[in-house]
């Protein structure tokens, strides 16, 4: 049974011609998948559908044995907090908090993941070359540094599913490769699922699978 | 809860200028009605106590309020006066017209001190012409001690024919009483008349210094030295001209032994064309009634302002949360529950409210602490 499966998924925004159809998509544990495509191709929408941030109009998304459509809002939130790591395209960080506070923020509201997030934090910051920024507020950081904070927050609690929306868009090529390798190595080491949305074609060969968004446009 | 509190606190601290401004505005509108109430209550208690301790006052016909404020608070310098002989026997005379170092000079009799329960903290009582004792606060603020001297203030700086300043010997300082007596200079009635020019002391007039002599009145030239200070050496040269009974007194405090005497005195002065007798307790009550009415009006205005400020604050919070919709959406996306988000918002409001309450408490305490000084300035 695949760790992540998407079946007959359909979604469209009201009043827009664009329609997303994913007849079938499956990703095994320890596997990495890159979703590539042009801007406006629905990459971020598909990511939000797979994480339950958007409800599909048809079809289903299963993470492990859990069908996301079967969860109410609160259960979905708790599931996402415990099992999913998310790197948002706009980083979704709070400017008035420090790097450490931003990374631990979601876990402060859920005692289940707080201890593991705290434990992993020093090593994670070291691997992302962010140790010296730990006590700095996010407003003091560059775009690239913010992106690494967003990645650290998504990885801190060692989730089974990690979704990253353009995680290297604000990084220089060298640092982009380091971060991509970090995400891929982590997924393989922990046998988790990594799904990355990217338009950087140079990175695609590093992933186990690549799907182009053109496949899913109806 | 801890996470929500921590997040709310961080937001408030990060936006500290806005938070302080909002809390200060709220604190101010909360504190103002309370402070006003404190000040009015203090004023009422203070005014009532002073009035209640003074049974009756006699003075020249005119404004009862002016007479009362002169006799109780030494505040009306140009009050019409009555000749001493028109004052009932046994009354405590008060002469309030001059100042020394900004404080009123009260010419009175020794009975005034026992009547008010004033005792000396240091030095001794006035014993002769030119002596004075000072109220506790005045002595403390001016740094004056027994043995020092203070000058009365001339009424008109450029009026060379007017009252000259008199150098008075400070013989004692009264113990603090928390009343207007703490801010006054007390001297004998005759010393007050001396300042007024009703008496004087000078060198012996020699024959060649006399310009005019018509029997009762001698006019000497400028070579005759007038004394501006009473000393043991020149004390005997001081003398009064005319009938002392005609000398002016601002007011007299009457202490009738019983209700019957009180009623008789009131009846006697009711028929007088030149004098009036007041009961400070009654006159003060009518003044306080006006004060309470004014307080009620001011409180209503302040409460309307407070309601408007609360409404504006509610709008500020609502607008702030609306502008931060994206931030709260982000928190929800990363797994923070709606209940937790509502808690964060509530705690932000509570933190501002707590800070506003703190400011209000400080302002209220300041009003409590400064009420006596403010009342003293107002009177």
């Amino acid at each position: 049974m695949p760790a992540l499966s998407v079946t007959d998924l359909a979604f469209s925004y009201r009043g827009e011609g664009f329609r997303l159809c994913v007849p079938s998509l499956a990703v095994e544990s320890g596997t990495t998948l890159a979703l590539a495509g042009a801007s406006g191709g629905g990459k971020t929408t598909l990511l939000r559908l797979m994480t339950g941030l958007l409800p599909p109009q048809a079809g289903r998304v299963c993470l492990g044995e859990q069908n996301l459509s079967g969860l109410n809002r609160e259960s979905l939130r708790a599931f996402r907090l415990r099992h999913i790591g998310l790197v948002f395209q706009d980083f979704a960080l709070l400017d008035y908090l420090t790097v450490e506070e931003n990374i631990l923020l979601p876990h402060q509201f859920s005692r289940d993941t707080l201890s593991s997030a705290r434990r992993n934090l020093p090593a994670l910051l070291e691997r992302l070359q962010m140790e010296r920024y730990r006590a700095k507020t996010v407003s003091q950081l560059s775009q690239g540094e913010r992106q690494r904070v967003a990645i650290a927050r998504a990885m801190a609690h060692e989730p089974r599913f990690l979704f990253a929306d353009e995680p290297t868009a604000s990084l220089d090529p060298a640092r982009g490769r380091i971060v991509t390798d970090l995400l891929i190595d982590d997924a393989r080491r922990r046998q988790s699922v990594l799904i990355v949305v990217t338009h950087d074609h140079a990175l695609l060969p590093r992933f186990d699978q690549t799907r182009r968004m053109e496949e899913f446009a109806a | 809860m801890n996470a929500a509190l921590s997040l709310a606190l961080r937001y408030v601290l990060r936006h500290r200028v806005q938070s302080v401004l909002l809390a200060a505005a709220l604190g101010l509108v909360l504190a103002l009605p309370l402070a006003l109430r404190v000040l009015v209550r203090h004023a009422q208690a203070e005014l009532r106590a002073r009035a209640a301790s003074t049974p009756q006052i006699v003075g020249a016909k005119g404004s009862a309020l002016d007479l009362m404020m002169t006799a109780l608070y030494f505040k009306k310098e140009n009050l019409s006066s009555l000749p001493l002989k028109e004052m009932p026997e046994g009354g405590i005379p008060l002469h309030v017209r001059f100042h020394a170092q900004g404080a009123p000079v009260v010419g009175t009799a020794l009975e005034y001190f026992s009547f008010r329960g004033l005792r000396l903290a240091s030095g001794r009582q006035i014993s002769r012409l030119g002596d004075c004792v000072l109220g506790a606060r005045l002595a403390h603020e001016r740094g004056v001690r027994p043995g020092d001297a203070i000058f009365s203030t001339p009424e008109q700086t450029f009026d060379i024919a007017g009252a000259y300043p008199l150098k008075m010997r400070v013989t004692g300082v009264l113990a603090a009483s928390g009343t207007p007596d703490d801010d006054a200079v007390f001297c004998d009635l005759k010393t007050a008349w001396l300042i007024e020019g009703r008496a004087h002391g000078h060198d012996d007039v020699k024959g060649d210094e006399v310009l005019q002599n018509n029997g009762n009145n001698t006019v000497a030239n400028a070579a005759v030295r007038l004394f501006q200070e009473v000393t043991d050496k020149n004390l005997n040269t001081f003398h009064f001209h005319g009938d002392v009974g005609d000398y002016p007194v601002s007011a007299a405090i009457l202490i009738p032994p019983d209700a019957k005497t009180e009623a008789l005195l009131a009846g006697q002065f009711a028929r007088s064309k030149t004098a009036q007798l007041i009961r400070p307790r009654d006159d003060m009550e009518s003044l306080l009634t006006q004060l309470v009415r004014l307080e009620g009006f001011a409180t209503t205005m302040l409460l309307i302002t407070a309601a408007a400020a609360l409404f504006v604050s509610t709008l500020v919070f609502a607008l702030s949360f609306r502008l931060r919709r994206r931030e709260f959406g982000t928190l929800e996306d990363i797994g923070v529950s709606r209940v937790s988000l509502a808690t964060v918002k509530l705690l932000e409001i509570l933190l501002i409210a707590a800070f506003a309450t703190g400011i209000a408490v400080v302002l209220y305490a300041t009003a409590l602490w400064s009420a006596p000084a403010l009342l003293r300035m107002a009177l």
Side-chain angles (χ1 to χ4, degrees), chain A residues 48 53 73-74 77 80-81 86 88 90 92-98 101 105-106 108-109 111 137 139 153, chain B residues 1-4 6-7 10-11 14-15 324 326-327 330-338 340-341 344 348:
Chain A
R48 292 181 75 83
L53 289 174
R73 190 183 189 97
E74 185 53 28
R77 183 198 64 79
R80 207 161 49 228
L81 190 60
L86 265 163
F88 293 90
D90 62 355
L93 300 172
L94 298 190
D95 275 358
Y96 52 90
L97 297 184
T98 63
E101 287 167 340
L105 179 62
Q108 299 279 11
F109 289 90
R111 297 287 167 197
T137 51
S139 58
R153 186 179 62 192
Chain B
M1 183 71 174
N2 283 345
S6 166
L7 192 60
R10 290 306 303 268
Y11 182 84
R14 170 74 178 191
H15 302 91
R324 292 166 63 201
R326 188 176 156 79
E327 177 189 325
T330 296
L331 287 167
E332 210 176 336
D333 284 352
I334 62 173
V336 180
S337 70
R338 287 189 163 185
S340 296
L341 287 179
V344 170
E348 278 182 19

Side-chain angles (χ1 to χ4, degrees), chain A residues 2-132:
Chain A
L4 180 150
S5 66
V6 178
T7 314
D8 298 328
L9 189 75
F11 182 82
S12 64
Y13 288 107
R14 193 179 301 171
E16 289 184 24
F18 173 79
R19 184 173 167 80
L20 192 69
C21 286
V22 185
S24 174
L25 178 67
V27 186
E28 298 293 336
S29 292
T31 307
T32 60
L33 165 71
L35 292 171
S39 292
K43 301 188 294 291
T44 300
T45 302
L46 179 56
L47 209 66
R48 292 181 75 83
L49 286 164
M50 286 193 288
T51 54
L53 289 174
L54 270 180
Q57 283 144 5
R60 64 179 186 168
V61 175
C62 290
L63 298 183
E65 293 175 354
Q66 187 61 58
N67 178 1
L68 296 189
S69 309
L71 295 175
N72 62 25
R73 190 183 189 97
E74 185 53 28
S75 305
L76 188 59
R77 183 198 64 79
F79 181 85
R80 207 161 49 228
L81 190 60
R82 185 175 295 196
H83 300 295
I84 295 176
L86 265 163
V87 182
F88 293 90
Q89 196 170 13
D90 62 355
F91 319 138
L93 300 172
L94 298 190
D95 275 358
Y96 52 90
L97 297 184
T98 63
V99 166
E100 179 175 349
E101 287 167 340
N102 260 293
I103 293 170
L104 296 179
L105 179 62
H107 313 293
Q108 299 279 11
F109 289 90
S110 160
R111 297 287 167 197
D112 299 346
T113 52
L114 182 60
S115 56
S116 66
R118 271 213 178 109
R119 197 174 52 245
N120 297 330
L121 183 67
L124 199 54
L125 288 176
E126 193 184 340
R127 282 157 71 193
L128 287 163
Q129 299 169 358
M130 291 290 290
E131 318 94 292
R132 63 199 170 105

Side-chain angles (χ1 to χ4, degrees), chain B residues 190-213:
Chain B
K190 286 179 178 170
T191 304
W193 287 331
L194 179 58
I195 297 171
E196 199 172 338
R198 304 265 168 187
H200 59 222
H202 50 78
D203 290 332
D204 288 338
V205 181
K206 298 183 187 93
D208 58 343
E209 291 166 348
V210 176
L211 296 176
Q212 193 185 349
N213 190 345

Side-chain angles (χ1 to χ4, degrees), chain B residues 29 73 136 212 232 264 278 288 346:
Chain B
V29 293
Y73 295 95
Q212 193 185 349
D232 291 336
L264 285 171
I278 60 167
L288 291 178
L346 182 68

Side-chain angles (χ1 to χ4, degrees), chain B residues 49 77 82 200-201 242 286 325 366:
Chain B
E77 299 89 21
L82 272 183
H200 59 222
S286 59
R325 208 160 44 178
T366 307

Side-chain angles (χ1 to χ4, degrees), chain B residues 35 86 147 249 338:
Chain B
E86 284 195 31
V249 175
R338 287 189 163 185

